[in-house]
Amino acid sequence: MENKLIAERAERTKWFNEARFGMFIHWGLYAIPARGEWVRSQERMTHEDYLRYFEEFSAAEYNPRQWAAAAKKAGMKYAVLTAKHHDGFCLWDTKLTDFKAPNTPAGRDLVKEYVEAFREAGIKVGLYFSIIDWRHPDFPHYGDRQHPLRDDPKEGNENRHFDRYLEFMHGQIRELLTGYGRLDIMWFDFSYNDMAGEKWKAKELMEMVRTLQPHLIVDNRLEGSGENSGTILTANPSTYAGDFACPEQMIPPAGIKNEAGEAVPWEACITLNNHWGYCQMDKHWKSAAMVIRMLVECVSKNGNLLLNVGPDAKGRIPAASVAILEEVGRWMADNGESIYGCGIANFDKPEWGRFTQRGKKLYAHILESQAGGLCLANLAGKIEKLRLLSDGSEIRLADFWNLKEYPEHAFFFLNPESADNYPLPDPADTVVEVTLKA
Ligand code: GLC
């Protein structure tokens, strides 16, 4: 008998599995030190040390319409903004703490502007919310796995009331679920050691989430993290198992299924350089070709790609990130049909690249050229037509003497004038649309 939670999850994530490509946005006080979003933990900063960034945070050039335009141009269909990261700094006008953007020189609710700008651009809106809060006095300090003051015996936890912290945490999530209209994703981060599941009163939290915004999809980190997916991988997930798994900085070798072999919605979250939050020194940018190939790999395994940008202290997405997104967008403009609404193919991965599929449309993503024609294994007699997706031009099946010994396979050349397929029309990924016979 089908599990009710799994059936509801499948319904809620339909748009997500169609969208395939989203923008992750890590932005907050940590953009000022510009050494990544964990800087307070890594450098064991005291509250007072970190407060100097609060007093300076101006969002001087914050323009979420520009962010939304960059996402739209890249072909992204949803976005997830860090409303609050582990440092506890809130981008919205929360009533439950003073550690918030309206109290900085920015002087306003930055989440409100974000949701309005992205909705206006037709992009679904998600919020990332850290269930860890290094600022809150009732969150464990001394001896915690990663609290900035974890090594300071003076920061003992005797007088910390974790239930009071949970009341604060649930209250902030309620604020976000009731104060910003229809949200599409709530991206919790993250559970660790015994800080997982019911430790967060996750059952009660999810009852609130499902009541206030029943359509909202939630990741699996009330239970898990990037290193442990939790009960979403079982045939009987908990009520707080989440609607999608979120492998981090990697793409699962064969996608993600639960113990019963049922598809689990999933999304790989990956940075453009090596940091989530702005890191001034980190110029190690992935190429647009790498991003395209990551996206295709995710979709070929029934997953999504949530690609991160880390705006700087002023609120600007780094120019290098914008340039990569623009180049990816040019490819998506020509080839987006092979991504949106597509998933794993009914055919084995080909030697020369990958397949994505949507019904009768099989998309051949050619990542390397091959001599003697590109082989569509075991597809002889099953193909209605081939088209180069980017320009719609006809590609004819090859019927040459040197292929006669392989009648079960279909072959084609991207350039019939040459005995190979070099150079590929698009070295990043040349997509051929294969229309299968009914
Ligand atoms: C990890 C990082 C966190 C980041 C998240 C994104 O949890 O610690 O900083 O926001 O990954 O998935």
Side-chain angles (χ1 to χ4, degrees):
M1 194 237 328
E2 191 179 39
N3 177 291
K4 181 171 173 290
L5 287 176
I6 291 178
E8 289 170 351
R9 176 179 83 195
E11 188 55 34
R12 259 196 304 269
T13 55
K14 271 191 179 143
W15 72 265
F16 182 73
N17 293 327
E18 296 273 327
R20 292 300 185 210
F21 192 23
M23 176 184 270
F24 214 169
I25 308 164
H26 277 71
W27 189 47
L29 298 185
Y30 42 78
I32 297 173
R35 300 190 290 277
E37 74 292 347
W38 274 64
V39 63
R40 207 194 139 198
S41 171
Q42 287 158 347
E43 299 180 16
R44 290 168 170 71
M45 284 184 198
T46 64
H47 294 311
E48 294 66 34
D49 286 347
Y50 200 64
L51 208 54
R52 59 192 151 159
Y53 305 126
F54 177 84
E55 285 147 10
E56 187 182 323
F57 187 73
S58 70
E61 295 182 40
Y62 172 57
N63 181 342
R65 280 193 171 80
Q66 281 177 356
W67 293 4
K72 191 174 183 76
K73 210 168 173 184
M76 293 162 156
K77 296 293 186 185
Y78 64 98
V80 178
L81 169 68
T82 52
K84 180 176 88 167
H85 206 265
H86 309 331
D87 61 359
F89 176 66
C90 305
L91 294 190
W92 79 101
D93 188 16
T94 176
K95 302 297 180 266
L96 302 179
T97 174
D98 294 335
F99 199 49
K100 61 182 179 180
N103 291 355
T104 70
R108 63 199 196 276
D109 186 321
L110 304 174
V111 167
K112 183 173 179 299
E113 291 178 26
Y114 154 77
V115 295
E116 287 168 356
F118 276 74
R119 281 191 195 117
E120 199 177 285
I123 297 175
K124 287 188 178 292
V125 292
L127 293 175
Y128 165 112
F129 180 90
S130 173
I131 52 183
I132 295 168
D133 189 316
W134 296 330
R135 171 78 185 174
H136 198 280
D138 288 322
F139 193 89
H141 286 43
Y142 182 57
D144 177 71
R145 194 175 85 168
Q146 56 251 344
H147 192 285
L149 306 176
R150 57 191 176 279
D151 299 334
D152 184 349
K154 293 195 300 301
E155 291 296 340
N157 302 312
E158 304 72 37
N159 300 319
R160 300 190 199 285
H161 306 284
F162 195 67
D163 276 352
R164 192 163 57 191
Y165 168 69
L166 292 180
E167 194 179 329
F168 162 81
M169 181 183 107
H170 287 216
Q172 286 204 314
I173 294 165
R174 178 179 290 276
E175 287 183 324
L176 293 171
L177 293 173
T178 54
Y180 295 87
R182 179 187 169 105
L183 301 177
D184 299 293
I185 298 176
M186 185 60 82
W187 216 101
F188 294 119
D189 191 36
F190 63 93
S191 293
Y192 59 102
N193 300 346
D194 67 336
M195 304 287 273
E198 277 304 80
K199 179 76 175 184
W200 307 116
K201 290 188 180 172
K203 186 172 182 295
E204 180 185 318
L205 178 60
M206 282 311 298
E207 282 163 2
M208 174 178 76
V209 170
R210 298 294 187 215
T211 303
L212 291 173
Q213 300 228 13
H215 62 280
L216 185 76
I217 61 172
V218 170
D219 70 328
N220 64 332
R221 294 191 179 186
L222 285 176
E223 262 191 338
S225 63
E227 56 192 302
N228 146 40
S229 290
T231 61
I232 198 169
L233 297 187
T234 70
N236 295 292
S238 74
T239 57
Y240 42 81
D243 299 303
F244 61 93
C246 40
E248 180 173 327
Q249 299 286 37
M250 64 85 70
I251 297 172
I256 297 180
K257 289 185 177 176
N258 69 12
E259 63 191 354
E262 297 163 308
V264 172
W266 62 272
E267 168 196 80
C269 53
I270 298 180
T271 52
L272 263 177
N273 52 10
N274 288 315
H275 286 82
W276 300 100
Y278 182 66
C279 183
Q280 205 281 336
M281 298 300 287
D282 184 350
K283 310 294 186 195
H284 187 79
W285 302 105
K286 295 174 180 69
S287 67
M290 171 83 183
V291 170
I292 291 163
R293 291 182 177 208
M294 291 192 308
L295 176 58
V296 168
E297 182 177 355
C298 287
V299 177
S300 75
K301 297 173 179 176
N302 260 354
N304 290 22
L305 174 63
L306 186 65
L307 185 68
N308 185 74
V309 294
D312 64 20
K314 296 180 178 176
R316 299 172 308 179
I317 296 177
S321 299
V322 173
I324 296 163
L325 292 177
E326 284 177 349
E327 192 175 339
V328 171
R330 284 191 289 276
W331 183 89
M332 286 294 281
D334 283 346
N335 301 288
E337 285 174 65
S338 69
I339 298 295
Y340 302 128
C342 294
I344 194 165
N346 301 325
F347 307 93
D348 293 341
K349 180 187 177 302
E351 284 182 306
W352 34 259
R354 297 188 184 279
F355 283 134
T356 57
Q357 185 169 358
R358 183 184 59 250
K360 278 179 44 182
K361 296 294 185 184
L362 176 68
Y363 296 97
H365 296 267
I366 304 159
L367 308 180
E368 54 184 86
S369 51
Q370 274 200 320
L374 289 148
C375 176
L376 292 168
N378 304 309
L379 275 169
K382 298 173 185 172
I383 294 169
E384 186 181 305
K385 62 180 178 179
L386 302 178
R387 294 289 184 271
L388 186 64
L389 187 58
S390 58
D391 66 4
S393 57
E394 181 183 30
I395 293 174
R396 286 177 292 174
L397 286 170
D399 182 17
F400 298 143
W401 58 272
N402 62 339
L403 304 172
K404 294 291 184 198
E405 284 193 308
Y406 310 98
E408 72 276 27
H409 302 323
F411 294 87
F412 65 94
F413 285 86
L414 290 166
N415 173 2
E417 303 308 313
S418 74
D420 63 27
N421 295 279
Y422 181 81
L424 291 172
D426 184 333
D429 174 5
T430 297
V431 186
V432 172
E433 178 191 77
V434 181
T435 300
L436 299 169
K437 288 179 180 172

